Amino acid sequence: MQSVSKFFGSFQALNSVSIDVRLGERVVVCGPSGSGKSTLIRCINQLEKHDEGSITIDGHPLQHNKKSLQVIHDNIGMVFQQFNLFPHLSVLDNLTLGPIRSRGMSKKQANELAMQYLERVRIPEQAAKYPSQLSGGQQQRVAIARSLCMEPKIMLFDEPTSALDPEMINEVLDVMVELAESGMTMICVTHEMGFARRVADTMVFMDHGQIIENTNTAKFFDSPESERCQEFLQQILPH
Amino acid sequence: MTRVLFITLMAVLLSACSSDWGWYVVNPTTPKGMTNLKFLLSGLGYTVLLSVTAIVISIIIGLLVALPGLSKNRLLKGFNRTYVELVRAVPILVMILWVYYGLPQLLSVTITVFWAGVIALALSDSAFEAEIFRAGIQSIDKGQYEASHTVALGYVDTMRFIILPQAIKRILPALGNQLVYMLKMSSLVSVIGMQELTRKANELVVTEYRPLEIYTILLLEYLVLILIVSAGVRWLERRMETDIAR
Ligand SMILES: Nc1ncnc2c1ncn2[C@@H]1O[C@H](COP(=O)(O)OP(=O)(O)OP(=O)(O)O)[C@@H](O)[C@H]1O
Ligand SMILES: [Mg+2]
């Protein structure tokens, strides 16, 4: 991502942001509310179209065209704060719709794949239920499995645990830790600093649409360079 | 609903005892009454066929007009607005006359009474269907589109598998209303000679001179039809409720 800017009307949500993410790298993005974290990762899969700069995925520069859409569809998965499961479909159908319709899989293949990922997020027994019959933590794990069924190379997470009751946060984080350990490339917006310390290779701190810090995790927590980042960490970390 | 029907029937029967009424005209125990009654009911098939065909076509047109209205493209949006505003401005009776007498001349084709009725009713209703669909689709959370994007679905698949199933469930009561409306509006097609319920009643009144009884029967015919439709829509709603938890 090279000097990317994004405007909402006259408001600049991203101000010349540059960042490189290697294959297999795990990046955690943090920063105060409204700093542009969501906008940053939503630009990566073009849920928001960037206005300036360039975004390159696996050697393909993203333009607003069909080919770029294909690159995104082939490579990038995303998990949302609000889960965004399809309420009218069963858990299994939530998982298999993408593989069947856009990967051309047979129903049988897709079902097998889906069950495999449901086992990985530890809820295979919920396959026949509808999203509204599951707890928040279970729904978010279904959402993760739904993305994994598309076998993406990069997974984006936008505050995946922020909408959850505290007792459900860990079941989702555990799944994410496992995913990180399996070598998935991850870009994750979260305020779960324990999780960040554990899995992140790189920490990114944003404020006012800019990247203030972009360093390896150990350095980030021990000696952040900017004052704003220090303040932020003090607020968010238990003393 | 059944209670409403019952009370109405009782009221009609009670007043039938007064000397002003001449129920003999449709008394099924007399051969003449039976023939008249059969004649009146013979319009039922056309009324139903006309309304159902028209509503199906109007829903399809409505959807095709609604989708461009949801686009960001100004031209497509403009098409939607123009269609809705223009079509909505035409009185149904005028639409029927125009389609039956005007359209054949314009296109130099012949058009049967039935299809003229279907086209006129479907066109008139389609503007309303378009607005219903637009509102229904707009009520679906933006997150559904975003999630659909993350599982690599294109526009058509997103609409077909994600958005429309949820939207249709929400607009089902409104669609039911339109069908009721359609059944009632189909009576206007009698003016171009469509042999549906109202036309039959009109014809019988001319020969029997008993408008009160005959039109009362007509009124009851529509009432029963519409109660059946209402019950059907409610059944469908309940079924979708249990089919699709939430
Ligand atoms: N669709 C939009 N239209 C207008 N302004 C927007 C839009 N989306 C985001 N913004 C603005 O852009 C800025 C950055 O938003 P963003 O959602 O990226 O912040 P964030 O860092 O994810 O915050 P949070 O922690 O609250 O999720 C905010 O000030 C927000 O008001
Ligand atoms: Mg955000």
Side-chain angles (χ1 to χ4, degrees), chain B residues 150-205:
Chain B
T150 69
V151 293
L153 299 185
Y155 175 78
V156 174
D157 278 356
T158 300
M159 280 298 159
R160 175 166 160 209
F161 294 106
I162 308 299
I163 306 301
L164 285 178
Q166 296 182 62
I168 286 173
K169 205 187 125 206
R170 285 190 199 179
I171 63 176
L172 203 63
L175 293 182
N177 261 342
Q178 289 307 115
L179 179 54
V180 167
Y181 193 62
M182 189 68 99
L183 280 166
K184 299 201 285 187
M185 292 311 123
S186 71
S187 61
L188 289 172
V189 185
S190 60
V191 299
I192 54 172
M194 180 79 205
Q195 295 289 319
E196 43 66 73
L197 289 174
T198 304
R199 177 74 181 199
K200 295 281 181 192
N202 281 338
E203 288 179 1
L204 197 63
V205 166

Side-chain angles (χ1 to χ4, degrees), chain B residues 8-63:
Chain B
T8 318
L9 267 173
M10 287 315 286
V12 169
L13 288 176
L14 276 179
S15 41
C17 301
S18 92
S19 54
D20 293 348
W21 295 76
W23 279 116
Y24 67 87
V25 68
V26 287
N27 184 349
T29 55
T30 64
K32 175 107 167 108
M34 193 62 185
T35 315
N36 284 346
L37 204 57
K38 275 190 180 154
F39 181 77
L40 282 176
L41 285 173
S42 66
L44 189 67
Y46 267 135
T47 289
V48 171
L49 191 64
L50 188 69
S51 306
V52 170
T53 314
I55 196 96
V56 168
I57 294 174
S58 126
I59 282 176
I60 294 169
I61 301 176
L63 180 59

